[in-house]
Amino acid sequence: MGLSPADLIALDASVSAASGSASADDVRGCVRRPLAGLDAGLVANAAWTRHVQLIFGTLVPQWGMLLTTTAEDRHALQATLVGASNGKEWQHSGELRVQLAQVSLPVLLACLPLATEAGASLDVLDTYATLLRHYVSADQMALYVENAHFIDDHALFASHLCSLPAKLANTFGLRHTDFQDDDTREWYTDTRFYPTITRHIAAQMSQTCNDTALELITELLAKMVRQGYQDVCFSAFLTVVVDECARQADAATYQRRCLQIWKRLDRLTAKETRHGAVLRYIQQQLTRFHPPLASTALASAIQRLATRLQPILYDASTVADFVLYALTIKLGHWPIPVVRTAVAMGIHAIGLAKDDNIDGDDATMPLADETKLFVYKCADKVTERWADPVFINHSSDSERQYLTACLMILFGYTDELMMGDIQSTGQLRNGITAWLKTADAATAKLSMIVAEVMADKMSNGRDKLDFGVDMEQDLLDLKALAYAPDALVLVDLDQPLTVVEEPDDAVASNLDSDGDEEDEDELDPDALVVPDDDDDEDEKEDPDLVPYAMEDESDEEEVDASKKKRVRTPAYLSELSDYLKNQEDPVMLEVALRAAAPLIRVKIGHGTEIDEWAPTLVQRLIMFPESYSITDQQQLQIQALAALVVGSPQIAAPLAIDQVFSKNTSVSQRTMILRVLSIAALELSGWDTSKTSSSAPPPAGTALPPIPLPVEDHQEAMQLDWPAPPSTSSSSKVVFKSSRMAAEQRQQQKIQRNQLAGIAGRCFFFPLVTGWWDATQTRLGWLLEYPMLVEQLIMTLNVVMQCASNTTDKRKIVQEYFDFALSMRFIPNLSPRAVRALLLGFHTILQVCYKDQGNLLLMDYTAVLVDTKQWLEGRKKKLKT
């Protein structure tokens, strides 16, 4: 009969009260007595949790030597945590052991930092590490999977298990991580821990098929993926699963389990992360094979790998995203054999047509109708990108070759009718024409390959197109991909996946000739050396022997100019973000900074690209390094940020304002952001600064930097892009047009929509005022130390208020401005510049926002006007005294 909760509480209280005077038998009895007759009711009680805390939080640090001396003592500690299955004294069921692990694991993890803070010895920490290892043993992981329906929260339990490496690493520091050999590393290092438990759970896939077990496995995998260990985890998982699937008698059921796990991961992890990990696993399996791309051994490996991976990873409903990711994302990042394998997996997932006339190994299967539609859609996506003029003019050579190889791979699955449908859209022909017009010979040759393959496929081999240009071997290998459909060949899955690597002829010849060359080049040390005139001429002609220039003779500007020519201008905002991220390359940073404003303005109004990249670009443009000497750097930053705020005001403006009140920004950066907000507000409202040159400038204009606003220029450019509408009037008809109508039309053309309507307060004014109130509560120091920054903040508010004078936010903005201005009364020694800026704000309210509306102003803001008058009169008296 086991202990009741009351008995357990009494036992713990007696040992805890005795503290250091307790005997060894009392301590051992406190650990062992509750294990006899232990049941689920006692474990679920809060008394058991306190019991575990007493043992591992108090007794183990104090009596560690006693409790770990004998095997029976160590077994008692282990049974307290995870139960005992084959002990002589205790036998616990699987359900009870899982329940014990759920209760004890969080307690033991919490003991680690407490022991570290208390200065516990390394022996105690090693004891904790040894006990924690029992939670992730092969038998224990199998127990979790078999009894997953007894685990209350799968996600929380998986999080606790996956936190072991971080917890133990923080506890031990570098004591167990200074080994270079993976075999000698501690079990809890991430390079050993995550692959080990992944193999343990993958081995249980063949033992269980219930939904709760699959959910637990999914949660464990998802947690490891979210921590960034998807590569090592998927490599270990797929290696075990692929081998196990080949040994299964009912392979279809096993494959369905794997597919269920993969689909469950869709709602827990990012698809791009999983797709990238799968492609890296494929690359790892194919690393031993080298060009040529059309080699027999490489094709055989691709066929077998695709045939084995597809059933356990993707089906017809999920494979399209994976294939398109390999074809169109991260161009040039994946080797061509990896892309071939991904496309072959997509073909297998959709399905091949049945043909009873096919016999023998390596026979070619026809495509099903659904598969033909899948190939057509993929080819259409790739063709659209391949024929894009921006891609043709701004992509790198590796990206062009990669996308052309993707086209060749897809063309390998097309027939005469499919190729006719692909080229009927006209994109492919227009792309070939655009590629041939480029001045680059390598680019033109790629388009020639595409044209030759297209002509050959459309005529089913009857008509051959030959440009008569000598092609390099790598281009011929690229063309051969269009005639090597890997997925259409039946393979024998009984053969092992590994194949023999083809020998490299060049390497073999070098190995055979190394000895002969050494014998020929060996010199006699006693021989007389006679200088040869030919050697002197060779040395003079050898460019590698040109002497280096001295430091004072080096021309760094010429080097930078040549490097700038090699760095192409970014064509997409994603490329611009990557350029700005590389803060170690000043040339790339300068190219990105000079291209930022024009590129962002081109993207305005076209799709959602600018909204997607606005958060990243705002951060990187503001935090642009100041250590490099770039001409007009701050001016370029202001122009780029202003264009970004104009293009995406609802996202970029609040993020930029957050940086104004951040601890990580400098005074110059805050001033720059406030200027950017002023410029963007003027441009969005349609304010024409050219008219202010002849007349008196507006009050808010004095705080703006001398940067011309490109509003009118952009309007003229937009008008030039559109063709003039055709005239509908006949030459024989007289058209009457009065001067009044002409004047009204000219007046209508001058009217511009205020794009600040609806966002002036929400995205510009109110975040600035809210940041001010927060700053006055927490960081008042910088407001008093930098009066010019306070003035710039007030002037920015003045500009926004003036630009929003004809919007629905005007009344709320004016009310907030009065509250903001009156709060300045309580700042001691307010600078005269800030007072002048506030007076300009009051002037804007009177002469712009409520011009000729004095009665309405007095009715709406009676109280604040009286307070403002009293404050200004008080300052006037102080000045007189």
Side-chain angles (χ1 to χ4, degrees):
M1 185 65 183
L3 295 179
S4 64
D7 296 336
L8 182 61
I9 293 174
L11 176 63
D12 292 342
S14 62
V15 176
S16 179
S19 186
S21 61
S23 63
D25 293 337
D26 294 337
V27 174
R28 283 196 173 99
C30 183
V31 176
R32 298 186 181 187
R33 282 184 58 192
L35 297 175
L38 185 63
D39 57 5
L42 179 59
V43 175
N45 195 285
W48 180 259
T49 304
R50 290 193 293 268
H51 173 70
V52 176
Q53 290 174 343
L54 173 65
I55 293 176
F56 296 97
T58 304
L59 299 184
V60 169
Q62 294 179 0
W63 300 84
M65 184 66 68
L66 174 68
L67 296 176
T68 57
T69 302
T70 64
E72 290 78 8
D73 292 328
R74 293 191 295 270
H75 185 65
L77 290 177
Q78 177 184 346
T80 304
L81 296 174
V82 295
S85 60
N86 55 357
K88 298 179 181 179
E89 301 181 25
W90 315 289
Q91 292 285 341
H92 300 141
S93 64
E95 175 185 354
L96 183 60
R97 293 175 62 194
V98 170
Q99 190 175 359
L100 283 170
Q102 288 187 86
V103 175
S104 61
L105 180 56
V107 175
L108 190 56
L109 290 175
C111 291
L112 288 175
L114 296 177
T116 304
E117 294 176 2
S121 63
L122 290 178
D123 294 334
V124 174
L125 299 180
D126 285 332
T127 301
Y128 286 152
T130 304
L131 293 172
L132 285 171
R133 189 171 189 176
H134 293 296
Y135 287 96
V136 291
S137 63
D139 295 337
Q140 195 68 21
M141 295 299 296
L143 186 68
Y144 299 149
V145 176
E146 293 173 3
N147 299 272
H149 52 285
F150 294 116
I151 299 178
D152 299 330
D153 190 340
H154 291 165
L156 181 61
F157 189 68
S159 179
H160 286 155
L161 287 177
C162 294
S163 65
L164 291 183
K167 296 284 187 180
L168 290 172
N170 292 335
T171 301
F172 288 108
L174 299 177
R175 188 169 71 91
H176 291 319
T177 59
D178 55 353
F179 301 101
Q180 298 299 324
D181 188 4
D182 288 340
D183 295 335
T184 59
R185 289 183 182 271
E186 289 296 328
W187 64 271
Y188 55 79
T189 55
D190 51 4
T191 56
R192 294 189 61 185
F193 177 84
Y194 293 109
T196 301
I197 66 172
T198 303
R199 283 190 289 268
H200 291 337
I201 61 177
Q204 301 303 314
M205 289 287 296
S206 60
Q207 306 296 330
T208 182
C209 60
N210 56 70
D211 290 339
T212 55
L214 295 179
E215 182 180 355
L216 177 60
I217 294 175
T218 304
E219 291 290 348
L220 285 168
L221 290 175
K223 181 62 179 179
M224 290 184 281
V225 170
R226 290 195 296 268
Q227 288 181 329
Y229 298 102
Q230 63 273 4
D231 290 342
V232 294
C233 293
F234 284 177
S235 177
F237 185 80
L238 293 177
T239 301
V240 175
V241 169
V242 169
D243 295 340
E244 191 66 30
C245 184
R247 292 193 294 265
Q248 289 292 317
D250 189 3
T253 303
Y254 188 82
Q255 293 168 359
R256 282 195 297 270
R257 297 175 193 168
C258 298
L259 282 176
Q260 290 180 19
I261 291 177
W262 216 247
K263 290 182 178 180
R264 291 170 188 262
L265 285 174
D266 285 345
R267 60 181 176 84
L268 299 175
T269 59
K271 292 183 179 180
E272 293 78 8
T273 304
R274 294 187 291 105
H275 296 335
V278 173
L279 292 175
R280 281 186 286 273
Y281 172 76
I282 296 173
Q283 182 179 357
Q284 179 185 358
Q285 298 297 313
L286 300 176
T287 45
R288 292 171 299 149
F289 299 97
H290 306 286
L293 297 176
S295 61
T296 305
L298 179 58
S300 176
I302 291 174
Q303 294 160 8
R304 301 182 192 282
L305 192 59
T307 305
R308 297 191 178 192
L309 284 180
Q310 177 271 317
I312 62 178
L313 291 178
Y314 301 103
D315 59 5
S317 62
T318 59
V319 76
D321 292 337
F322 170 68
V323 176
L324 290 177
Y325 179 86
L327 291 173
T328 59
I329 305 299
K330 293 185 177 181
L331 300 183
H333 183 76
W334 310 110
I336 300 304
V338 175
V339 184
R340 291 170 60 183
T341 308
V343 174
M345 291 172 62
I347 300 297
H348 288 169
I350 305 297
L352 301 175
K354 295 182 179 180
D355 193 345
D356 298 333
N357 298 325
I358 297 178
D359 297 325
D361 296 335
D362 296 340
T364 302
M365 296 284 290
L367 292 177
D369 294 337
E370 295 82 0
T371 312
K372 291 181 180 180
L373 181 60
F374 169 75
V375 173
Y376 171 78
K377 291 182 178 180
C378 292
D380 184 65
K381 289 286 186 181
V382 177
T383 303
E384 181 181 0
R385 184 75 176 273
W386 188 82
D388 185 6
V390 177
F391 175 79
I392 298 174
N393 296 324
H394 297 281
S395 59
S396 61
D397 293 339
S398 61
E399 292 173 343
R400 297 192 191 103
Q401 291 181 2
Y402 181 87
L403 209 58
T404 305
C406 293
L407 270 181
M408 295 295 101
I409 295 171
L410 293 172
F411 286 171
Y413 298 97
T414 60
D415 54 15
E416 184 176 355
L417 295 177
M418 293 175 62
M419 183 58 70
D421 293 338
I422 292 174
Q423 68 87 28
S424 63
T425 60
Q427 288 185 352
L428 194 58
R429 292 181 179 272
N430 295 336
I432 293 174
T433 303
W435 280 60
L436 289 174
K437 289 181 180 179
T438 59
D440 188 7
T443 304
K445 288 182 179 180
L446 291 175
S447 64
M448 294 177 188
I449 292 175
V450 176
E452 291 175 358
V453 172
M454 184 182 70
D456 184 61
K457 291 283 184 177
M458 289 184 61
S459 63
N460 199 14
R462 295 186 299 271
D463 298 332
K464 297 290 185 180
L465 176 63
D466 188 3
F467 285 90
V469 178
D470 294 334
M471 297 288 183
E472 291 79 5
Q473 184 59 42
D474 58 340
L475 297 179
L476 295 177
D477 294 338
L478 209 63
K479 183 179 179 181
L481 295 176
Y483 304 95
D486 304 301
L488 303 185
V489 179
L490 296 178
V491 296
D492 184 10
L493 295 181
D494 294 335
Q495 296 184 6
L497 183 62
T498 56
V499 293
V500 180
E501 178 183 356
E502 292 185 349
D504 193 341
D505 296 337
V507 176
S509 61
N510 290 336
L511 291 176
D512 295 338
S513 60
D514 281 346
D516 298 336
E517 291 180 359
E518 290 179 0
D519 294 338
E520 293 176 1
D521 296 340
E522 186 176 358
L523 299 177
D524 184 4
D526 297 329
L528 180 64
V529 179
V530 180
D532 192 358
D533 295 338
D534 296 338
D535 295 339
D536 296 339
E537 295 178 0
D538 293 341
E539 292 178 359
K540 293 179 181 179
E541 296 176 359
D542 191 353
D544 294 337
L545 300 179
V546 177
Y548 292 106
M550 299 295 291
E551 293 184 0
D552 54 349
E553 297 177 357
S554 62
D555 193 355
E556 296 181 357
E557 295 181 358
E558 294 181 359
V559 175
D560 292 343
S562 62
K563 189 174 182 181
K564 289 178 186 177
K565 295 180 181 178
R566 294 196 300 268
V567 178
R568 64 181 181 86
T569 304
Y572 303 97
L573 294 184
S574 58
E575 295 180 344
L576 177 63
S577 177
D578 293 338
Y579 279 31
L580 294 174
K581 183 180 180 181
N582 187 7
Q583 298 193 0
E584 302 297 331
D585 191 346
V587 176
M588 184 173 291
L589 285 174
E590 183 175 359
V591 171
L593 190 59
R594 296 191 181 281
L599 177 60
I600 293 172
R601 292 193 177 276
V602 168
K603 302 295 182 180
I604 295 178
H606 300 282
T608 60
E609 184 180 3
I610 190 170
D611 291 335
E612 294 174 359
W613 289 98
T616 305
L617 292 176
V618 166
Q619 183 71 20
R620 292 178 179 173
L621 285 172
I622 293 176
M623 298 301 175
F624 194 89
E626 301 178 358
S627 56
Y628 303 116
S629 178
I630 299 178
T631 307
D632 299 330
Q633 174 179 333
Q634 189 175 20
Q635 201 80 348
L636 293 172
Q637 283 180 265
I638 293 176
Q639 292 176 358
L641 283 169
L644 194 60
V645 175
V646 170
S648 181
Q650 300 188 42
I651 298 177
L655 291 175
I657 293 173
D658 289 342
Q659 295 299 322
V660 174
F661 302 99
S662 174
K663 295 181 179 180
N664 301 324
T665 51
S666 61
V667 176
S668 62
Q669 289 172 339
R670 292 167 179 162
T671 305
M672 177 186 66
I673 296 171
L674 293 174
R675 290 179 179 177
V676 166
L677 294 173
S678 301
I679 296 171
L682 287 171
E683 184 171 350
L684 287 170
S685 64
W687 186 272
D688 189 2
T689 56
S690 61
K691 296 180 181 180
T692 61
S693 58
S694 58
S695 59
T702 55
L704 297 178
I707 299 179
L709 298 177
V711 178
E712 299 295 335
D713 296 340
H714 280 284
Q715 291 177 350
E716 294 177 2
M718 291 173 61
Q719 294 175 0
L720 293 176
D721 291 340
W722 291 94
S727 177
T728 57
S729 61
S730 174
S731 59
S732 60
K733 185 183 294 184
V734 180
V735 179
F736 294 95
K737 191 173 184 181
S738 65
S739 59
R740 180 179 178 180
M741 293 175 57
E744 290 180 353
Q745 289 182 356
R746 287 194 299 269
Q747 188 67 22
Q748 290 291 333
Q749 292 177 357
K750 294 180 181 179
I751 297 176
Q752 297 180 3
R753 177 181 176 273
N754 191 344
Q755 299 181 21
L756 278 178
I759 63 173
R762 176 166 52 90
C763 299
F764 286 83
F765 195 91
F766 298 148
L768 281 172
V769 176
T770 303
W772 163 265
W773 295 122
D774 294 339
T776 55
Q777 298 296 327
T778 58
R779 297 183 297 276
L780 186 60
W782 70 269
L783 299 175
L784 301 178
E785 295 174 2
Y786 306 102
M788 295 185 64
L789 184 59
V790 177
E791 180 199 9
Q792 185 66 50
L793 173 63
I794 300 173
M795 294 302 299
T796 303
L797 293 174
N798 295 344
V799 171
V800 175
M801 181 171 59
Q802 178 172 341
C803 294
S805 59
N806 59 345
T807 65
T808 57
D809 295 336
K810 178 186 71 173
R811 185 171 181 177
K812 293 181 179 179
I813 289 177
V814 172
Q815 180 64 50
E816 288 291 335
Y817 188 86
F818 274 122
D819 294 341
F820 163 78
L822 291 176
S823 68
M824 295 288 183
R825 295 178 296 176
F826 306 104
I827 296 181
N829 301 324
L830 186 63
S831 67
R833 301 175 65 94
V835 176
R836 185 187 66 174
L838 291 173
L839 292 176
L840 287 174
F842 296 147
H843 180 77
T844 302
I845 295 174
L846 296 174
Q847 299 298 327
V848 178
C849 296
Y850 282 90
K851 185 178 182 181
D852 300 329
Q853 296 178 349
N855 294 331
L856 181 61
L857 178 65
L858 187 60
M859 291 175 57
D860 291 343
Y861 310 103
T862 304
V864 293
L865 287 174
V866 173
D867 293 340
T868 304
K869 179 182 177 182
Q870 294 176 355
W871 174 46
L872 294 178
E873 289 178 350
R875 290 192 62 87
K876 185 177 180 181
K877 292 180 181 179
K878 290 182 180 180
L879 292 176
K880 290 182 179 181
T881 57

